[in-house]
Amino acid sequence: MGSRPTIQMVAELAGVSRGTVDRVLNDRPHVNEEVRRRVLEAMRELGYISPREAYRRQTEAAVPPLTLGVLLPNWEGQFRAEVTEGVRLACEELEESRVRVLVRRCETDLPKEAVELLEAMEAGGAEGFAVCAVNDPGIESCISARAERGVPCVTFNSDLPRSGRLCFVGQDIRQT
């Protein structure tokens, strides 16, 4: 045989039409469960892989997973709850895209702790950061060192303007 299995081959082995195989492949309705089982079994037996699945596998192999680090302050209250929920929803949405999110929360306002957490996340594989931390020269320096190495960092809620961060997300406070 030597050639790649086709939909026609699956249809013949399962005793159905190519249209039925297409409905099973695309998880469409109006397919009897017994017929669906036969088509899936024929696909397994032949080693059939749909073009969509072949593309997904090829893409996964070519594009390595991405790890992002999120540093949160030790604040309590509504801000923390909203940011935590937003991060949770983003994690769910990014999971399909093979993006892993490391979330670390400072326990104090000490800049040294924030720097240590950023370093630990990078050691854990983080390739980019979203940071909400106190405006401190030590933290700015830590982010700047990463930016110089091409590691993107976005700050939110606290700007850290001299950090070399990629951008700031938050309230624009202009003095007039």
Side-chain angles (χ1 to χ4, degrees):
M1 201 141 94
S3 65
R4 212 172 114 185
T6 64
I7 286 181
Q8 182 63 43
M9 295 164 77
V10 171
E12 288 172 5
L13 184 60
V16 298
S17 70
R18 287 190 325 242
T20 299
V21 174
D22 180 75
R23 284 193 294 280
V24 171
L25 279 172
N26 292 294
D27 202 26
R28 293 193 180 108
H30 311 299
V31 178
N32 177 290
E33 282 308 311
E34 171 59 23
V35 170
R36 183 179 303 276
R37 186 197 60 70
R38 284 195 338 249
V39 169
L40 293 173
E41 181 58 36
M43 289 170 57
R44 274 190 292 280
E45 189 175 320
L46 292 170
Y48 176 82
I49 298 173
S50 71
R52 180 182 298 144
E53 179 63 16
Y55 176 77
R56 186 190 67 76
R57 290 179 184 184
Q58 181 182 16
T59 302
E60 276 187 7
V63 179
L66 176 68
T67 301
L68 300 174
V70 177
L71 180 65
L72 300 174
N74 67 339
W75 303 339
E76 297 294 331
Q78 186 65 26
F79 174 78
R80 178 178 180 166
E82 288 179 12
V83 169
T84 300
E85 178 63 8
V87 169
R88 184 190 69 72
L89 292 171
C91 288
E92 284 179 11
E93 189 174 321
L94 292 170
E95 190 174 355
E96 277 184 30
S97 301
R98 300 177 64 221
V99 176
R100 181 174 68 124
V101 181
L102 302 175
V103 180
R104 300 295 181 265
R105 193 177 313 280
C106 292
E107 293 183 20
T108 69
D109 281 331
L110 298 175
K112 179 181 177 190
E113 179 190 16
V115 169
E116 289 171 354
L117 289 171
L118 286 168
E119 289 172 349
M121 284 190 286
E122 188 170 21
E127 302 165 72
F129 296 92
V131 176
C132 180
V134 295
N135 193 347
D136 177 84
I139 296 171
E140 284 183 333
S141 176
C142 177
I143 293 170
S144 180
R146 277 148 186 78
E148 288 173 11
R149 292 194 321 269
V151 177
C153 182
V154 172
T155 59
F156 64 98
N157 202 58
S158 43
D159 189 358
L160 305 170
R162 290 176 296 283
S163 66
R165 46 84 176 135
L166 191 60
C167 68
F168 164 65
V169 178
Q171 196 171 14
D172 184 14
I173 301 174
R174 293 190 178 156
Q175 298 181 356
T176 56

